[in-house]
Each structure stands twice: as C-alpha cells, then as structure tokens.
C-alpha cells in the first residue's frame, strides 16, 4: 500500500552523499501553571510577572510537580505508540547562563517518563515512512534573554522560567529535508489533536534542535552538528539543506566536521557556529535531591489512554474506508483537527438533507470543501478559522447541487455571495435566478428546436460521430442561459437522437 | 577515584568559582581526602540492593494545575544587583 520514500542525495564533486537527520522537539505542555510552581504560563504577560520565588530560584524554595504536566506527557507518549515508564526520575542538568537562575535545569536524563515509540509521516508523493521516537521527557524551560534593547545590559525575563516542556527526541531516521519537515508537521498535528501542546511555533511553544550529518550511502554515521532552536517547519528544512551542503563541501575539500552547536540565520539562510559556547558542555547530571521519583500505576495510564481523542491516522483511515474519500483529500482534511471537524459537521448535515449513500456524498463534499471553499477563502486571504459560513450552511448549498436545483458552476457563484454576506444559499439562488431548468417539457421543446436548427450535426451523429452530443448540450445550455440541468438535457438528447 | 590539579581547575570553572593558581594543589588534596573517605562505602557488599532514592519512605507529592503564585515582580527583583523596565539587567552576554 505505502510507497517507499525517495532517496535524497547531495551531489558532491567526488560523488553522492546521503544525509542523516534526527530531531529534538521542545513542546510546551498546555497547562495553567508551571511544571514545579504555581505561577502562570500565560504568554505575553508583563516581564517577570509570572514568576514565583521557585522560578527565580530563591534559596530554600522547593519544587512541587504539576500533575497535569505528567498526565499530558503520558497521553502524548501513548499517542506516539511509546513505552510509558511507570518509574521515572528528575535530574539536574548543570550549566550557567543568565536566564537560568537555578544554575541547573530540572530534566530527566537517565529515566525519562516515556521511552521508545514511532510515528508515521506522509510525504509529498504519497509515500509514508515510520520515524522512530527515542524518548520523551519532561523538563523546565529557561527564561528569556534580550540582548538588543539596552546599550549596556542584557535584559532577562523569567516568565518562561519553569514552564513545562516535553522534549521529544526522534531516532536519526530522516534522510531528507522533506522528511524532517513532514515529521515536524505531523508531530504538531498530533500534539494539537491530543491537546498537550498548542504547536504554535511563532510564539515558541514548539521549537526544534536539528541534528545533521552526512555520509556516503551505506557507510556508518558521520560526525553531526546540532542546529539549535529552529522555530518553523520551513526553517528546519532550509537549515538541513544548507548544513548538509556545508558538511559535504568541507569533507570533499579534505577537511573534517567538528561536532558543534550551530545557529540558523533565517535572513541569510545559513547556519553559523555558536562560538560563544566554545567549551565542551559538561552538564554533570545527577538526581535532583529535591524531588522523589515520579511513579504511577497501570490504572493511571489506562485513564490517560481513555482520554485520547481519535488520532489523525485513525481518522484518515475511517474517512477513506467508511466514506470512500480519496487518500489525498482524507490526508489534507485530517492535517488539522479543525478542518476534520468542519468536514464531519458538513457531511453530517448533508446526510440529513440528501437521501443518497454516503460514499456518493462524502467524496464530492470533500472536493467541494478543498477546492471551492478553500480556493475562495485563500483568494480572500482567509483561513478556515475565520470562515464566514458554518458547515451547516455549506451543507445547504451542496444539497441544492445534489438535488439538481442549481448547477455546479452556479454553486461557485452562490458560495462567493455567501462568503461575502453570510446569507443562506436558497435566498441567493432565488434572488439571482440561478435555478436550473429541470422541467422536462420545457427542455424537450428546447432540444427539438436545436435539433431542427442543426440538421448537419444530426446527420453526423447518425453517421456515428457521437461526440457531437457535446455540441448539442452546449447549444441547449446557451438557449437556456445556463439554467438547463445538463444531466436532464443529455438524457433527452440521447433519446431524441436515437429515434 | 582521585582528582588532580587540572580537574580542580576545570570543575572550578564549571562552577564559576575562582581559585588562585597556588590554591589548586591544596584543593586537590582536600577533595581527595573527601573522596577517599566516601570511598570506604565500596567495602560494603551492595549486590542485589536497589538504589535508594530517599531516606524517607514518601511518594512524590503532586500539585493541581492551578495558578496560585506569581505577580510579585518587586519581590523577585529585590535581590537583583540591577533591574531595568521590570527586567533583570545583567552584563551584556556577547552573542
């Protein structure tokens, strides 16, 4: 069923190179309060207002874990088909930086809450690929340093300090920028379905550290570089492309790759060494003595599992199997929970109004939504979230097409008007006189008239050139000023020509 | 296990503690004394003994997801050597 992913090759002067990519995605857990304190996680608050004495690391303050963050990590692990560890532990990762007041980050090193799992990603050409998940662990976010607002100082805001993050580490299973992009998009979709992270990369709720290395096909892994804090899917892909080319150029010139941390500069589209951290990291992890191990039982895991919604893969399979949607349509619709929900409501309403099997309704409804509706929304610079019409109104419009009241082309005009005015389709059809003529008597008269006026074409038809039917249909449509029902016209024409 | 002068220098740097050059050797000696003392524990046979996570038999306490703290910027900034516009102001970190 699934096609193999295509090989992505970097063509060097001395031959071909393969790239190897692994991703560490930091996803902010959706929660009211922070991982170990009762301060708010609200984005965009006044600097240092969402900070407790725990987050600012005042002496003697003790961390207490937020149960919701644990639950969301477990739910995310379950959605990634991963091993859930009933025993995990928090460690201190020690390093100095101005926006890390504790001097260490509380993280999970030796015993993460979630172990190995996997996720299926869809690629452009319809191929799918399974990407391994190495682990998922909980950790604290750091504060924010602002370097360019003051001539002498770096300004530090601790509002983010202590916010819960899930670090989701993939296996080095990706072989192209496209696969990495598809992985990040799929992960974002999954997190949004689950509701464990809002996936908002612009606000920094989700960001990726990208590990890239190159090798000759079939050879062992090369030395990798880590590109830190990349904050969009497009940048992830650009950074990989640039970095792979850079490494190939160095290797082909006889050089070697330094294992290092790099930054991606979106303006220049290049990666740069972070020279300020020239010293090799030595985090000196050890178990955090302020925290006991994190433990729960099977019942807790099952409760988390029961709270999961239908996930995108299952939803897509259902759309295809039960409703006969084309693969592409199903994949596009489930890409965002919002569009999948919109479509389900649309189809629901349509099935109530039209007595036709769902396998007939659903594919047409999905085509309408993806091309007509999305096309017009795009043109107006809008997205589904600010769509002026409801799915029920969409179903009313489609119902008029299905029962032959209006033609498919007239429905586009009606939709345009609906999107502008938010009015109901039936009123618009009435007002604009867009109703199709399905009255057989009237149409038969029109057909007779056209046939009588075009004896040469009738002769052609009788001589076996059946294609001229198209010409007759066109003439009748013209005669009716576009309001004839083409299906009915066709039927009458075939009957009369056969006489 | 023992530490030498170079190790002392490195961990001092990691911990951001300044130790003068002439204090490195004595410090290595002191640290080695401590390590040797702890090393006595290895005489105990711990085969089959699970690592202990705490001396008290407690479970981790879980908190509900409620905002119960924050909005104390002045307290938070009270010990900062410098603050500007509600931010901590620290010497420019060169990027």
């Amino acid at each position: 069923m699934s096609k193999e992913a295509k090989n992505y090759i970097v063509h060097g002067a001395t031959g071909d190179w393969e790239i190897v990519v692994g991703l560490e995605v930091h996803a902010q857990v959706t929660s009211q309060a922070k991982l170990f304190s009762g301060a708010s996680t609200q984005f965009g608050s006044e600097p240092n207002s969402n900070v407790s004495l725990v987050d600012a690391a005042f002496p003697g303050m003790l961390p207490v874990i937020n149960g919701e963050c644990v639950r969301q990590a477990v739910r995310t692990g379950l959605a990634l088909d991963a091993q859930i560890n009933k025993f995990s532990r928090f460690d201190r990762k020690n390093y100095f930086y101005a926006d890390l007041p504790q001097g260490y980050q509380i993280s999970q090193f030796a015993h993460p809450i979630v172990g190995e799992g996997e996720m299926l990603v869809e690629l452009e050409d319809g191929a799918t690929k399974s990407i391994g998940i190495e682990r998922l662990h909980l950790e604290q976010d750091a504060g924010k340093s602002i370097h360019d607002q003051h001539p002498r100082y770096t300004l530090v805001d601790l509002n983010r300090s202590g916010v819960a993050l899930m670090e989701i580490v993939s296996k080095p299973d990706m072989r192209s920028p496209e696969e990495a992009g598809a992985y990040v998009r799929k992960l974002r979709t999954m997190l949004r379905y689950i509701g464990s992270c809002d996936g908002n990369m612009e606000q920094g709720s989700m960001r990726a550290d990208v590990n890239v290395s190159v090798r000759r096909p079939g050879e062992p892994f090369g030395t990798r570089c880590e590109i830190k804090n990349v904050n969009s899917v497009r940048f992830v892909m650009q950074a990989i492309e640039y970095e792979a080319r850079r490494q190939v150029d160095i290797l082909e010139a006889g050089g070697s790759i330094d294992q290092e941390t790099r930054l991606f500069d979106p303006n220049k589209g290049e990666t740069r060494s972070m020279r300020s951290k020239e010293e090799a990291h030595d985090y000196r992890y050890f178990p955090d003595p302020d925290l006991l191990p994190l433990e729960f039982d099977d019942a807790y895991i099952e409760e988390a599992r029961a709270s999961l919604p239908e996930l995108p893969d299952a939803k897509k399979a259902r759309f295809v199997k039960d409703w006969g949607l084309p693969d592409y349509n199903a994949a596009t619709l489930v890409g965002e929970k919002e569009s999948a929900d919109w479509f389900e409501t649309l189809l629901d309403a349509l099935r109530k109004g039209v007595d036709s099997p769902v396998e007939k309704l659903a594919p047409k409804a999905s085509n309408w939504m993806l091309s007509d509706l999305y096309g017009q929304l795009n043109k107006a610079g809008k997205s589904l979230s600010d769509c002026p019409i409801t799915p029920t109104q969409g179903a009313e419009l489609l119902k008029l097409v299905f029962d032959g009241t209006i033609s498919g082309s007239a429905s586009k005009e009606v939709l345009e008007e609906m999107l502008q005015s938010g009015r109901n389709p039936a009123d618009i059809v009435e007002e604009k006189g867009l109703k199709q003529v399905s009255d057989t008597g009237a149409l038969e008269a029109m057909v007779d008239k056209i046939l009588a006026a075009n004896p040469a074409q009738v002769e052609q038809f009788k001589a076996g050139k059946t294609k001229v039917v198209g010409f007759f249909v066109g003439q009748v449509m013209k005669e009716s000023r576009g309001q004839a029902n083409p299906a009915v016209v066709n039927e009458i024409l075939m009957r009369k020509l056969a006489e | 296990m023992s530490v030498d002068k170079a190790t002392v220098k490195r961990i001092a740097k990691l911990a951001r503690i300044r130790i003068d050059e002439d204090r490195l050797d004595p410090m290595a000696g002191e640290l080695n004394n401590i390590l040797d003392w702890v090393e006595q524990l290895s005489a105990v046979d711990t085969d089959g003994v699970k690592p202990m996570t705490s001396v008290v038999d407690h479970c981790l306490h879980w908190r509900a997801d409620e905002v119960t703290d924050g909005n104390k910027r002045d307290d938070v900034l009270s010990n900062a050597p410098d603050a500007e516009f509600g931010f901590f102001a620290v010497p420019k970190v060169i990027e």
Side-chain angles (χ1 to χ4, degrees):
Chain A
M1 163 216 131
S2 65
K3 288 200 266 175
E4 281 279 304
K6 262 194 308 231
N7 280 345
Y8 176 92
I9 295 291
V10 181
H11 299 289
T14 63
D16 290 348
W17 298 81
E18 179 180 71
I19 68 175
V20 176
V21 178
L23 289 170
E24 294 161 25
V25 171
H26 292 86
Q28 181 181 329
V29 180
T30 302
S31 66
Q32 300 298 313
K34 294 183 179 181
L35 181 56
F36 293 115
S37 89
S40 167
T41 59
Q42 182 72 44
F43 179 81
S45 304
E46 287 291 301
N48 291 308
S49 58
N50 297 339
V51 181
S52 75
L53 300 184
V54 179
D55 309 316
F58 275 48
M61 303 311 293
L62 287 174
V64 184
I65 198 161
N66 180 341
E68 176 63 8
C69 300
V70 175
R71 195 178 79 93
Q72 293 293 18
V74 171
R75 294 175 78 240
T76 307
L78 289 168
L80 295 172
D81 242 334
Q83 155 99 30
I84 306 297
N85 295 322
K86 286 182 275 183
F87 173 99
S88 66
R89 208 180 61 194
F90 289 96
D91 300 289
R92 290 185 179 180
K93 177 181 182 177
N94 299 279
Y95 68 98
F96 273 98
Y97 204 69
D99 54 25
L100 185 80
Q102 287 167 157
Y104 57 84
Q105 176 193 35
I106 305 181
S107 181
Q108 298 189 297
F109 183 60
H111 301 277
I113 184 166
V114 174
E116 293 185 329
E118 65 174 336
M119 189 176 71
L120 209 60
V121 302
E122 283 99 27
L123 306 170
E124 293 276 317
D125 57 0
T128 54
K129 181 171 177 174
S130 170
I131 306 293
I133 303 290
E134 176 72 33
R135 58 188 280 159
L136 176 157
H137 64 256
L138 282 167
E139 63 183 28
Q140 297 175 301
D141 203 352
K144 186 176 168 196
S145 299
I146 303 161
H147 304 291
D148 56 1
Q149 294 292 308
H150 196 285
R152 279 173 298 129
Y153 294 125
T154 288
L155 302 178
V156 179
D157 174 11
L158 296 183
N159 279 349
R160 292 192 68 96
S161 170
V163 165
L165 301 178
M166 295 181 282
E167 178 170 330
I168 304 163
V169 184
S170 84
K171 291 189 182 291
D173 284 352
M174 287 153 275
R175 296 289 175 273
S176 69
E178 190 208 341
E179 286 179 21
Y183 171 86
V184 176
R185 270 196 300 270
K186 180 65 178 286
L187 190 57
R188 186 175 56 188
T189 301
M190 294 280 276
L191 296 173
R192 284 179 173 163
Y193 267 73
I194 306 161
S196 60
C197 168
D198 66 21
N200 192 331
M201 297 186 87
E202 299 77 50
Q203 290 184 0
S205 331
M206 196 176 148
R207 46 199 201 264
D209 295 346
V210 187
N211 288 285
V212 181
S213 64
V214 298
R215 64 176 176 186
R216 298 286 191 191
E219 288 193 353
F221 290 152
T223 303
R224 68 188 160 86
C225 289
E226 181 180 11
I227 308 155
K228 281 275 186 199
N229 267 331
V230 188
N231 66 357
S232 87
V233 174
R234 194 161 54 90
F235 294 162
V236 165
M237 295 169 69
Q238 281 177 8
I240 294 169
E241 203 175 330
Y242 176 88
E243 179 61 18
R245 172 50 63 182
R246 186 188 73 89
Q247 292 185 13
V248 165
D249 289 348
I250 291 175
L251 292 169
E252 292 201 323
S256 62
I257 306 299
D258 295 326
Q259 182 165 344
E260 61 174 358
T261 307
R262 300 178 68 84
L263 276 177
F264 178 67
D265 179 342
N267 296 321
K268 293 188 176 153
E270 61 182 33
T271 65
R272 272 202 307 271
S273 183
M274 292 172 74
R275 291 185 202 285
S276 58
K277 293 192 177 176
E278 82 286 350
E279 207 177 341
H281 284 150
D282 182 352
Y283 292 128
R284 294 150 294 145
Y285 283 99
F286 64 89
D288 191 319
D290 287 343
L291 288 158
L292 288 158
L294 175 56
E295 291 176 281
F296 41 77
D297 57 15
D298 288 317
Y300 180 79
I301 298 174
E302 287 320 308
E303 206 174 300
R305 194 192 304 277
S307 76
L308 287 177
E310 183 182 36
L311 296 172
D313 290 348
K315 205 181 270 291
K316 184 189 158 199
R318 180 165 61 83
F319 283 10
V320 172
K321 186 167 162 286
D322 294 1
W323 296 346
L325 249 58
D327 239 43
Y328 174 82
N329 288 13
T332 311
L333 287 170
V334 305
E336 292 289 344
K337 189 167 183 298
E338 191 192 10
S339 55
D341 288 348
W342 210 98
F343 177 70
E344 289 205 63
T345 317
L346 170 79
L347 188 63
D348 238 29
L350 188 60
R351 290 175 74 178
K352 282 183 193 130
V354 181
D355 185 25
S356 190
V358 69
E359 313 85 68
K360 273 192 86 168
L361 297 178
K364 283 192 178 155
S366 69
N367 283 336
W368 172 81
M369 183 168 159
L370 294 177
S371 50
D372 288 20
L373 181 64
Y374 277 24
Q376 294 208 19
L377 285 175
N378 265 344
K379 231 194 284 166
K382 287 185 172 156
S383 67
L384 194 61
S385 47
D386 41 38
C387 177
I389 65 163
T390 64
T392 318
Q393 284 178 300
E396 281 167 27
L397 173 61
L398 282 175
K399 203 185 129 206
L400 296 177
V401 179
F402 275 105
D403 67 15
T405 308
I406 57 171
S407 66
S409 55
S411 79
K412 290 188 179 39
E413 199 182 328
V414 179
L415 177 60
E416 203 175 335
E417 177 66 31
M418 287 169 77
L419 291 176
Q420 269 168 25
S421 63
R423 288 167 59 206
N424 282 327
D427 298 342
I428 298 169
V429 168
E430 197 62 47
E431 183 188 292
K432 296 203 162 200
L434 292 169
K435 258 194 191 142
Q436 286 192 123
V437 179
S438 301
D439 168 6
T440 332
L443 290 177
E444 286 207 21
M446 255 184 253
V447 169
D448 285 339
K449 188 176 158 200
I450 298 294
L451 290 180
N454 298 285
Q457 280 80 359
V458 175
E459 278 316 305
Q460 284 178 12
F461 181 88
K462 303 227 175 200
K465 268 192 79 182
T466 49
K467 273 189 189 159
V468 289
V469 167
F471 164 78
F472 289 124
V473 174
Q475 291 299 307
V476 177
M477 294 307 289
K478 207 164 143 193
E479 178 74 21
S480 71
R481 294 194 323 279
Q483 295 187 10
N485 181 333
V488 178
V489 172
N490 220 5
E491 199 191 299
I492 297 172
L493 266 170
M494 294 312 280
R495 183 157 41 79
K496 298 226 173 235
L497 284 167
E499 274 169 7
Chain B
M1 188 177 173
S2 75
V3 297
D4 57 14
K5 190 172 158 180
T7 310
V8 173
K9 200 168 174 172
R10 200 172 69 85
I11 58 180
K13 178 157 191 201
L14 285 169
R16 300 299 190 273
I17 297 170
R18 185 172 63 207
I19 298 179
D20 293 334
E21 191 67 24
D22 62 349
R23 285 289 304 146
L24 289 174
D25 271 325
M27 183 63 81
E30 282 175 39
L31 287 173
N32 280 324
N33 280 342
I34 295 169
L35 289 171
D36 288 346
W37 186 74
V38 177
E39 193 69 22
Q40 292 178 75
L41 285 173
S42 59
V44 182
D45 178 9
T46 56
D47 282 355
V49 179
K50 271 190 165 180
M52 189 174 67
T53 46
S54 169
V55 289
V56 284
D57 190 20
H58 269 301
C59 291
L60 183 68
H61 179 69
W62 292 26
R63 185 167 51 79
D65 184 29
E66 286 159 11
V67 177
T68 55
D69 208 341
N71 280 321
K72 49 181 68 163
R73 181 161 83 192
D74 293 345
D75 288 349
V76 165
L77 294 173
S78 60
N79 291 328
D82 241 324
E84 291 274 349
F85 325 117
F87 293 92
F88 290 90
V90 302
K92 211 158 223 182
V93 184
I94 303 146
E95 278 291 312

